[in-house]
Amino acid sequence: MKVSDIMSDQVICISDGASLKDAHHLMQTRGVRHLPVISEIDGTLVGVLTHKKMIASVMTMLNKYGQGALDRKERYTPITTVMDQDYQHLTADEPLTVVVEYFIENKLGCLPVVDVDKKVLGIVTSSDFIKLCRTLLQEQA
C-alpha cells in the first residue's frame, strides 16, 4: 500500500499571510487539528501548524497578557511565527511500511503529502492509520 491509498485529499490549508486568530478560527469551524501552511506567492508548502502548537501559543498569550488582550494578540500574531518550518512531508507513492515507522518513531500526528513542486496533494494523519487498521481488522473477522 502507498500513501495515496489512505491520504485525505480534501485538505484544509491556510495561507502564510494569515494570523494565529485565523488559524484558531479555521481549526474550530472546520474541525481539523493540522493545517498545512502554503505560500501566498506560489502555493507551495512552507510549514505546518498543529492544534497542539496553536493551543500552546494561545495559552502562553493568555497567561502573559490576560483574557482581555488575547483576541488582539491572536489577530496580530502572524502564523509564520507559530508554525513549524522544520517539517517532514511525503509523496503520494511512498510505501506505508516506511511511513508508519516514521509516525511511530517521531510521534507525529500528521504529514502533508506534496508533489514534486511542493504543492499540497493531501495529508496523512494518525487517524488515517487507525481507519486503515479498522478496515484490515474487519476483513479478517
Side-chain angles (χ1 to χ4, degrees), residues 60-113:
T60 298
M61 287 177 190
L62 184 60
N63 290 333
K64 189 172 183 178
Y65 302 108
Q67 181 67 41
L70 180 61
D71 186 64
R72 185 172 33 86
K73 289 293 183 184
E74 274 190 289
R75 285 184 197 281
Y76 292 106
T77 301
I79 196 171
T80 53
T81 63
V82 181
M83 71 182 191
D84 289 321
Q85 294 176 327
D86 183 24
Y87 58 89
Q88 297 295 320
H89 60 275
L90 304 170
T91 59
D93 60 349
E94 288 190 62
L96 289 181
T97 52
V98 173
V99 176
V100 73
E101 289 302 321
Y102 192 82
F103 265 85
I104 292 168
E105 291 173 13
N106 295 289
K107 298 181 182 175
L108 295 174
C110 78
L111 285 168
V113 182

